[in-house]
């Protein structure tokens, strides 16, 4: 029986993978410019990291984690996101002893047991950044502006940046109380999940995916109604910095985000072009998370972009990536007598940094030319016995449709001139 890939996962094939490589290169370049260094953490962690870090009442922890017991009887979880792992690494490796802020970025697969549909997968990929050790609102603006810069360099259009402040431990109890008062008359009509959240974390009710709960939450009090003076000042300063660099945003006081660790700034980037899964990135500040994970009290902020959703948006918007296709050179073998010489030439071209290919199926010369066209080779070296004995080969420029004899000793120079 045919074995297929697990539901919600994707194979990224040659032809498609070049777009991923382009994104990796572009994000790496942007990170260098903004002063971020790469960090690589394990794909799985102790389950407790996420239940404590992401939050017990979130959808992610309540229903979406890939959790299993390993052979040593430990509860292990495939990472559903990158922030908790990065925070753990910051604390465990004592990066707080370095000059602050510490700015890191990561990219890789994340795992959530969600219902798969276009733009929503069980294994998906994020590119993300985290900054530790600064409470300066300018860092909030840098992180947001950096995300927008990346989208812009990819060429994405029609994006909306939603911005909110979700307050801090000083404003939260007030909101909690107001939310409980507001939802009390509707309590029995909320979904079972939200009935539980009412006591544990009523803010989560605003993030419920059920239409019924969303309806009841329409006029609920919001974080912006209860911000303490420090949070209000911080939010105003973040907006000021964003205005300064021309990043436009919509203040959205309903934006809650799906993770519990946020304090103050929260943001999400949406597009209408990819259907229901409209969030192509999001992030925010998490000033309590480092302490929660056993580190010294340290502020933090970051974002993560969903790479599948970026590629889907790019496709829907007709964006073509600048991707080099095909080998520089194809060596066509005209007669079995030169097969070994052709193979030698192929190897030597590659060793000199020239992408080269040949036929390995014993095709006729005509079929080799057709194959070279399919590979999108720019030049074809036609190596015949008679020419080889004269010390030359015929080189055909596939685009111009012109060909000429070139001395074997001059081949590399000839090819390099036409790169
Ligand atoms: P998040 O909003 O859960 O935030 O995920 C960030 C992005 O990952 C989303 O905007 C979306 O583009 C993509 N994404 C999420 N789930 C899926 C899925 N099932 N399939 C495809 N793409 C998906 C975080 O993960 C936070 N760690 C971001 C952060 C970093 N906050 C502070 N620092």
């Amino acid at each position: 029986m045919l074995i297929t890939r697990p539901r919600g996962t994707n194979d990224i094939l040659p032809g498609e993978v070049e777009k991923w490589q382009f994104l990796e290169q572009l994000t790496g370049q942007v990170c260098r410019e903004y002063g971020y260094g790469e960090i690589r953490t394990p794909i799985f962690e102790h389950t407790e990291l996420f239940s404590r870090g992401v939050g017990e009442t979130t959808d992610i922890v309540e229903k979406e984690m890939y959790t299993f017991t390993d052979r040593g009887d430990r509860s292990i979880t495939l990472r559903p996101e990158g922030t908790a792992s990065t925070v753990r690494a910051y604390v465990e490796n004592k990066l707080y002893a370095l000059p602050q802020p510490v700015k890191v970025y990561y990219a890789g697969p994340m795992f959530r047991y969600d219902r798969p549909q276009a733009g929503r997968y069980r294994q998906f990929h994020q590119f993300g950044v985290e900054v530790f050790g600064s409470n300066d609102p300018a860092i909030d603006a840098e992180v947001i502006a950096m995300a927008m810069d990346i989208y812009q360099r990819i060429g994405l259009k029609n994006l909306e940046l939603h911005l909110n402040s979700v307050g801090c431990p000083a404003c939260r109890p007030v909101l909690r109380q107001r939310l409980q008062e507001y939802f009390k008359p509707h309590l029995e009509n909320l979904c079972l999940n939200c009935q539980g959240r009412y006591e544990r974390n009523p803010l989560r009710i605003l993030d419920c995916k059920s239409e019924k709960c969303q309806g009841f939450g329409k006029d609920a009090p919001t974080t912006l109604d209860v911000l303490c003076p420090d949070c209000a000042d911080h939010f105003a300063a973040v907006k000021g910095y964003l205005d300064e660099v021309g990043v436009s945003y919509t203040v959205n006081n309903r934006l809650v985000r799906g993770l519990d660790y946020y304090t103050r700034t929260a943001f999400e980037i949406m597009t209408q072009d990819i259907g229901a899964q409209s969030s192509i990135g999001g992030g925010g500040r998490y000033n309590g998370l480092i302490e929660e994970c056993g580190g010294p009290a340290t502020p933090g902020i970051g974002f993560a972009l969903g790479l599948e959703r970026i590629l889907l948006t790019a496709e829907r918007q007709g964006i073509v990536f600048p991707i080099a296709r095909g080998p520089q050179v194809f060596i066509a073998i005209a007669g079995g007598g030169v097969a070994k010489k052709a193979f030698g030439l192929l190897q030597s071209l590659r060793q000199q940094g020239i992408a080269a290919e040949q036929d390995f199926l014993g095709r006729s010369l005509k079929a080799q030319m057709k194959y070279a066209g399919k590979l999108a080779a720019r030049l074809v070296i036609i190596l015949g016995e008679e020419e080889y004995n004269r010390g030359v080969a015929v080189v055909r420029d596939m685009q111009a449709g012109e060909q000429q004899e070139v001395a074997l000793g001059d081949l590399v120079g000839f090819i390099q001139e036409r790169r």
Side-chain angles (χ1 to χ4, degrees):
M1 206 180 65
L2 189 68
I3 301 174
T4 57
R5 58 181 188 261
R7 199 161 127 73
T9 66
N10 291 299
D11 298 313
I12 307 171
L13 303 176
E16 184 65 19
V17 83
E18 290 78 3
K19 294 182 193 165
W20 289 79
Q21 290 165 342
F22 171 78
L23 287 185
E24 281 158 21
Q25 225 182 342
L26 187 144
T27 47
Q29 173 66 25
V30 172
C31 284
R32 267 188 298 285
E33 291 166 14
Y34 283 75
Y36 288 70
E38 186 177 357
I39 186 166
R40 298 185 186 194
T41 62
I43 301 252
F44 58 84
E45 298 270 2
H46 293 293
T47 301
E48 196 193 346
L49 175 68
F50 302 114
S51 45
R52 243 206 286 166
V54 172
E56 297 277 9
T57 54
T58 57
D59 273 356
I60 295 179
V61 171
E62 279 186 339
K63 19 182 197 193
E64 295 173 2
M65 292 209 299
Y66 275 90
T67 298
F68 60 96
T69 308
D70 77 1
R71 287 167 196 274
D73 233 15
R74 299 171 199 91
S75 180
I76 293 291
T77 293
L78 301 185
R79 60 179 186 195
E81 58 106 48
T83 309
S85 307
T86 312
V87 167
R88 184 209 37 76
Y90 175 85
V91 174
E92 191 168 346
N93 297 288
K94 301 190 172 55
L95 302 187
Y96 46 79
L98 297 175
Q100 307 291 299
V102 168
K103 299 160 124 190
V104 293
Y105 75 94
Y106 52 85
M110 308 290 162
F111 305 86
R112 294 185 193 175
Y113 193 83
D114 213 336
R115 216 161 35 88
Q117 60 184 84
R120 195 208 279 159
Y121 310 101
R122 291 183 172 166
Q123 174 174 326
F124 61 98
H125 296 76
Q126 285 184 347
F127 160 80
V129 311
E130 312 293 347
V131 184
F132 301 107
S134 169
N135 212 359
D136 188 340
I139 273 288
D140 304 45
E142 173 184 288
V143 159
I144 296 171
M146 182 182 180
M148 299 313 286
D149 195 357
I150 291 172
Y151 294 126
Q152 199 177 2
R153 291 196 208 192
I154 296 167
L156 300 185
K157 301 173 288 273
N158 307 333
L159 304 185
E160 281 171 38
L161 167 61
H162 290 233
L163 185 66
N164 194 16
S165 173
V166 295
C168 71
C171 1
R172 283 289 170 73
V174 185
L175 181 66
R176 185 189 159 85
Q177 197 189 345
R178 290 231 200 138
L179 283 170
Q180 282 180 333
E181 280 162 17
Y182 172 87
F183 280 115
K184 198 163 186 181
H186 308 296
L187 190 55
E188 278 173 17
N189 297 315
L190 296 177
C191 76
L192 279 181
N193 239 335
C194 285
Q195 291 188 16
R197 289 164 167 175
Y198 176 83
E199 273 306 327
R200 293 192 293 157
N201 186 359
L203 190 66
R204 278 273 138 252
I205 302 173
L206 301 179
D207 191 42
C208 183
K209 285 173 189 146
S210 122
E211 262 178 41
K212 211 166 68 171
C213 297
Q214 280 177 10
F216 286 124
K218 240 181 25 241
D219 301 315
T222 70
T223 49
L224 290 189
D225 300 330
V226 299
L227 284 190
C228 68
D230 282 353
C231 286
D233 286 352
H234 188 91
F235 192 44
V238 173
K239 290 188 285 185
Y241 278 112
L242 289 175
D243 294 339
E244 180 65 28
V245 292
V247 171
S248 45
Y249 52 83
T250 308
V251 172
N252 175 356
N253 63 5
R254 321 289 317 166
L255 180 69
V256 177
R257 307 271 302 128
L259 308 103
D260 274 350
Y261 47 62
Y262 291 114
T263 56
R264 297 194 163 171
T265 310
F267 61 95
E268 208 153 291
I269 300 100
M270 325 269 201
T271 171
Q272 304 297 326
D273 293 347
I274 53 169
Q277 302 309 310
S278 59
S279 163
I280 59 165
R285 194 166 261 294
Y286 44 83
N287 286 353
L289 185 58
I290 291 109
E291 218 175 346
E292 179 74 39
C293 294
T298 309
I301 180 165
F303 68 72
L305 315 180
L307 296 179
E308 283 84 356
R309 291 190 193 170
I310 287 183
L311 289 171
L312 193 60
T313 310
E315 192 185 305
R316 299 267 164 93
Q317 297 185 353
I319 292 167
V320 182
F321 291 89
I323 289 163
R325 305 198 80 89
Q328 170 88 1
V329 175
F330 183 89
I331 302 176
I333 306 163
V338 286
K340 267 206 239 167
K341 299 293 173 205
F343 189 66
L345 176 62
L346 177 72
Q347 193 65 0
S348 100
L349 290 181
R350 289 169 171 171
Q351 283 166 347
Q352 292 173 82
I354 294 165
E357 193 49 282
Q358 72 158 51
D359 165 57
F360 291 104
L361 291 187
R363 290 179 172 85
S364 69
L365 182 59
K366 194 171 156 208
Q368 287 180 67
M369 297 306 288
K370 208 166 144 191
Y371 176 48
K374 282 203 179 133
L375 291 181
R378 270 155 285 166
L379 299 173
V380 178
I381 299 175
I382 305 161
L383 205 61
E385 225 162 313
E386 185 270 324
E387 287 89 352
Y388 186 81
N389 291 336
R390 277 198 290 120
V392 297
V394 173
V395 182
R396 182 173 177 84
D397 183 319
M398 296 294 274
Q399 223 169 18
E402 290 160 3
Q403 60 187 49
Q404 68 190 93
E405 273 188 3
V406 178
L408 292 175
D410 297 340
L411 267 179
V412 171
F414 184 87
I415 294 164
Q416 277 165 347
E417 270 169 31
R418 282 156 186 79
R419 256 175 208 243

